Amino acid sequence: MRIWNRVRSALPAWWRKKAATESSGTADARRHWLAANRNLKSLLEDTSIPSGIRAELADEFEQIERITQKLDRDEVHVAAYGRVGVGKSSLLNALLGREAFRTSALHGETRREARADWQSLKDGQAVLLDTPGIDELDGGARERLARDVSLRADVILMVCEGDLTRIEHAALGQLARLGRTVVLVLNKADRYTRTELSALLQRLAERTRDWLPAEHIIAVSAHPRPEIILRTGPDGREEEMTRPREPDVKELRAVLWQLLEREGKVLAALNASLFASELDARVAQRIVAARRDLAERLIHKYCLAKGLLVAVNPVPVADLLAAAGTDIAMVTHLGRIYGFRMQRSEASRLLMTISAQLVALMGAYWGLNLVSSALKTASAGLSTTLTATAQGALAWYATYLVGRMAQTWFARGKSWGGDGPREVARSILATLDRDELLREARTELRNRIQRSSA
């Protein structure tokens, strides 16, 4: 696909693995950053994308615009991701050292994406993003938003408060398969004893060993419970007091900051390119689907036209000549749907190639067509209508096969592929229910003929 080819040329196959393990120089990071930005802007400005498909993907194109703006501002995004109530907002506040994100004792306080500037990188700005919980019972829209934000983020903090739930494990696996850089953050570590915490971290490492390096699993206490202390009063009695404790995110801050300084801009460029390639794939899929639907409607239109033409024309030779002209027109029209303009001579050569394969595979059909043609000439009255409808249905069927083969050839970029036209014809015939198609053709032709004669 267009964008992915440009991305692949800008980002060699070995680069992604190298970026995750080695320090990238400023010049290389800047080069990939600029390449990603060019790819995004070329996708936004691609005039070959039909307006209808662009409208269907309006949300995705809006996200591309936001990513482009992010790159223009030299921003690297870090998103907190996870279930409701695990302390995502508290974690971001602890990293910031100030209350920038709303927290509440009520679950689901974060209802939309929120952001705050964190610190300046040596050549950019780190930005923290908060997202809604991924397990809201009535939060399908919130979950989609959280996923979109995480896919746009350059580093994702997957926040949990214990062993991973089924939802968390599935979400983490999805992010890993998408190639996102993830740090698994075990929040509320102050609730566990040292022994319990060590066992829990080991359990998390075992469950995620195929996805995360061990150093990307970090325990924190973003909003620790107050410390209970005993104080002796003037009367000599001891009484319990509580004293707030400072958040413990030092290890996470150090690991995260080292990651951002070393690889932040490279990760941002890679993630932007990956997102652009994903959108380009969706655009391509929509274009393929739109062309396929339009081609199928066009083939049906020509099947009906050819079937009626053959059914109502009493001259057998004229039947065959008229049928050939209809097929050539259909092939030419199909070519335009797939972006190819064909001369009549080229369309005729393609039709001859297709017909040769069909003759080789369907000799019995052509014999039946000649018999039906002879029957129609010799018959009269009601029998003529019956045999004409039968021959029209056979003409319909032949045109359908020609259309399907031509559609396949155009969809493959005017190529039969490695197997050649014979195998294409064979595979199409193998997937068709010939009797059902002929039955439907006879029914529609008979109804059309009866309506026209009424």
Side-chain angles (χ1 to χ4, degrees):
M1 291 166 285
R2 300 178 304 277
I3 296 298
W4 181 238
N5 288 334
R6 290 194 288 269
V7 171
R8 187 165 50 191
S9 63
L11 304 173
W14 51 264
W15 177 83
R16 180 174 168 185
K17 181 177 180 181
K18 179 177 184 294
T21 57
E22 299 180 7
S23 174
S24 297
T26 301
D28 285 343
R30 190 66 185 171
R31 178 167 59 84
H32 293 308
W33 184 277
L34 293 174
N37 211 352
R38 284 195 300 270
N39 291 334
L40 292 172
K41 289 180 177 178
S42 65
L43 180 57
L44 288 172
E45 298 166 1
D46 191 345
T47 57
S48 68
I49 299 175
S51 58
I53 292 174
R54 189 177 287 272
E56 290 179 19
L57 297 171
D59 291 343
E60 286 87 344
F61 276 97
E62 182 180 351
Q63 290 177 347
I64 285 289
E65 289 182 353
R66 294 171 69 179
I67 296 174
T68 301
Q69 293 169 3
K70 182 188 82 169
L71 294 179
D72 288 339
R73 292 192 295 261
D74 286 338
E75 292 179 351
V76 179
H77 286 185
V78 179
Y81 191 67
R83 292 186 299 110
V84 170
V86 295
K88 299 186 300 296
S89 302
S90 297
L91 175 64
L92 296 179
N93 287 335
L95 289 171
L96 282 167
R98 56 189 173 89
E99 297 292 319
F101 297 95
R102 295 178 61 185
T103 60
S104 171
L106 298 176
H107 284 180
E109 178 64 26
T110 303
R111 297 178 180 275
R112 58 182 59 86
E113 175 190 335
R115 56 170 283 158
D117 290 345
W118 187 15
Q119 299 182 45
S120 295
L121 299 166
K122 57 187 177 184
D123 56 353
Q125 175 68 42
V127 177
L128 301 182
L129 303 178
D130 199 6
T131 66
I134 61 175
D135 60 334
E136 285 280 21
L137 294 177
D138 58 349
R142 297 188 200 176
E143 184 174 346
R144 286 192 298 273
L145 175 60
R147 181 181 182 277
D148 289 341
V149 171
S150 69
L151 291 178
R152 291 200 310 273
D154 309 308
V155 178
I156 301 166
L157 304 179
M158 181 74 191
V159 186
C160 64
E161 59 180 354
D163 194 7
L164 295 176
T165 66
R166 179 181 56 81
I167 292 176
E168 289 171 333
H169 192 264
L172 182 57
Q174 181 184 43
L175 295 173
R177 286 189 294 273
L178 290 171
R180 308 303 171 180
T181 299
V182 181
V183 177
L184 179 58
V185 181
L186 173 61
N187 194 17
K188 306 179 183 179
D190 56 297
R191 297 183 178 183
Y192 302 99
T193 66
R194 287 188 178 182
T195 302
E196 291 171 339
L197 184 59
S198 177
L200 182 52
L201 288 172
Q202 184 177 352
R203 168 67 173 165
L204 292 174
E206 291 173 353
R207 296 190 67 191
T208 62
R209 63 177 178 269
D210 294 333
W211 301 331
L212 299 176
E215 61 270 21
H216 279 201
I217 303 174
I218 301 172
V220 304
S221 296
H223 188 65
R225 293 175 296 184
E227 182 182 12
I228 299 176
I229 59 175
L230 293 176
R231 191 183 73 170
T232 303
D235 57 359
R237 291 185 176 182
E238 290 185 342
E239 57 182 1
E240 287 188 354
M241 303 284 292
T242 59
R243 181 171 59 192
R245 289 189 290 180
E246 291 296 317
D248 181 8
V249 294
K250 293 187 294 295
E251 182 183 359
L252 174 62
R253 183 184 286 115
V255 169
L256 189 56
W257 199 247
Q258 183 182 32
L259 177 65
L260 293 178
E261 285 284 14
R262 188 179 69 239
E263 304 171 9
K265 297 205 73 171
V266 178
L267 289 173
L270 175 61
N271 288 336
S273 297
L274 288 175
F275 190 88
S277 71
E278 291 167 5
L279 176 57
D280 194 52
R282 274 179 269 177
V283 169
Q285 290 170 356
R286 296 289 173 79
I287 290 175
V288 168
R291 283 175 169 169
R292 183 177 60 246
D293 292 344
L294 185 57
E296 288 175 356
R297 291 197 298 270
L298 179 72
I299 291 171
H300 180 271
K301 172 184 173 182
Y302 275 97
C303 285
L304 177 61
K306 181 176 172 181
L308 288 172
L309 184 63
V310 171
V312 301
N313 192 333
V315 183
V317 175
D319 286 356
L320 300 177
L321 293 177
T326 302
D327 288 346
I328 290 173
M330 177 182 65
V331 167
T332 304
H333 201 162
L334 282 171
R336 288 200 296 271
I337 289 176
Y338 284 90
F340 301 109
R341 292 195 173 276
M342 302 184 70
Q343 299 295 328
R344 183 179 178 86
S345 57
E346 185 181 5
S348 299
R349 287 194 297 272
L350 175 60
L351 181 59
M352 289 178 63
T353 299
I354 293 173
S355 299
Q357 307 310 315
L358 295 178
V359 167
L361 294 173
M362 299 175 59
Y365 156 72
W366 297 108
L368 181 59
N369 187 42
L370 292 174
V371 171
S372 179
S373 180
L375 283 173
K376 186 174 67 172
T377 303
S379 301
L382 187 59
S383 61
T384 300
T385 301
L386 292 175
T387 55
T389 301
Q391 189 181 14
L394 289 169
W396 178 309
Y397 181 64
T399 294
Y400 183 79
L401 293 177
V402 170
R404 283 287 306 278
M405 285 194 66
Q407 179 189 4
T408 301
W409 188 71
F410 287 123
R412 294 180 178 180
K414 298 177 72 173
S415 170
W416 295 115
D419 296 332
R422 176 70 58 88
E423 288 306 313
V424 171
R426 197 186 304 276
S427 64
I428 290 174
L429 287 168
T431 61
L432 292 181
D433 185 340
R434 184 189 62 183
D435 293 338
E436 179 62 24
L437 186 60
L438 287 171
R439 188 159 44 248
E440 291 176 358
R442 284 195 299 270
T443 299
E444 186 163 354
L445 288 172
R446 185 165 55 249
N447 291 339
R448 292 288 184 126
I449 292 173
Q450 289 175 349
R451 284 200 301 269
S452 63
S453 60

